[in-house]
C-alpha cells in the first residue's frame, strides 16, 4: 500500500512540475513532462482541466497548432470544478479564437 502511495505522489509531482515549467514559459520542457499524462488521460477518459489547459497553452506558444486544436477539443468537453479552472479554460478558448480569426484573414486575402 505504501509503495502505491509513493507512485501516486511521484505521478502528481511530475504533473505539477510540468505545469510549473509551462507557467514559467519553459514550454518545451513542460510539454515533454506532461505528454505521457495527457496520453494516459485521453485513453482513460479522465478530465483534468488544469493539465489539459496548460498543455494546450504550451502547444499554442510553441506553434503546435494541430496538437493545440486536438487538446482544445478534449478540454472544451470537460466540466470545470471551480473559478480557477474556468479562467484557464477561458484563456485557452481565447487562443482558439485567435487561431480561427487568423485563418479567416488568410482565407479572405
Amino acid at each position: 500500500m505504501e509503495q502505491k502511495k509513493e507512485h501516486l505522489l511521484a505521478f502528481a509531482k511530475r504533473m505539477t512540475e510540468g505545469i510549473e515549467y509551462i507557467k514559467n514559459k519553459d514550454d518545451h520542457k513542460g510539454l515533454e513532462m506532461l505528454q505521457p499524462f495527457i496520453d494516459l488521460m485521453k485513453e482513460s477518459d479522465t478530465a483534468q482541466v488544469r493539465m489539459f489547459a496548460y498543455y494546450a497553452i504550451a502547444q499554442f506558444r510553441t506553434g503546435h497548432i494541430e496538437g493545440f486544436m486536438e487538446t482544445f477539443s478534449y478540454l472544451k468537453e470537460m466540466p470545470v470544478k471551480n473559478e480557477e479552472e474556468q479562467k484557464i479554460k477561458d484563456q485557452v478558448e481565447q487562443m482558439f479564437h485567435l487561431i480561427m480569426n487568423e485563418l479567416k484573414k488568410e482565407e479572405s486575402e
Side-chain angles (χ1 to χ4, degrees):
M1 189 69 159
E2 194 63 35
Q3 189 175 19
K4 190 174 184 178
K5 186 178 177 183
E6 286 177 26
H7 285 298
L8 285 173
L9 288 173
F11 181 86
K13 185 175 187 261
R14 189 168 167 92
M15 281 183 1
T16 303
E17 286 175 356
I19 289 170
E20 284 303 313
Y21 278 113
I22 294 167
K23 282 182 176 179
N24 294 320
K25 296 193 174 22
D26 190 348
D27 296 317
H28 292 287
K29 183 72 173 167
L31 287 170
E32 182 184 309
M33 289 188 80
L34 292 181
Q35 178 67 55
F37 302 112
I38 292 291
D39 292 341
L40 187 65
M41 289 186 174
K42 283 179 182 177
E43 287 173 21
S44 65
D45 226 8
T46 305
Q48 195 357 312
V49 172
R50 245 177 99 231
M51 186 168 52
F52 273 80
Y54 279 106
Y55 193 76
I57 290 168
Q59 288 175 308
F60 179 85
R61 292 194 304 218
T62 58
H64 294 230
I65 302 307
E66 282 182 37
F68 169 84
M69 298 298 270
E70 182 183 328
T71 304
F72 176 71
S73 71
Y74 278 95
L75 181 62
K76 73 179 184 177
E77 300 301 319
M78 294 179 185
V80 295
K81 296 178 189 121
N82 55 46
E83 194 176 318
E84 179 198 357
E85 287 185 356
Q86 187 62 58
K87 281 182 183 176
I88 192 82
K89 195 173 175 181
D90 291 345
Q91 185 179 349
V92 174
E93 186 149 351
Q94 288 174 343
M95 292 173 171
F96 170 77
H97 291 296
L98 284 173
I99 292 169
M100 297 314 287
N101 289 338
E102 278 302 309
L103 290 173
K104 284 179 187 171
K105 280 184 198 173
E106 287 178 15
E107 285 178 8
S108 65
E109 289 176 0

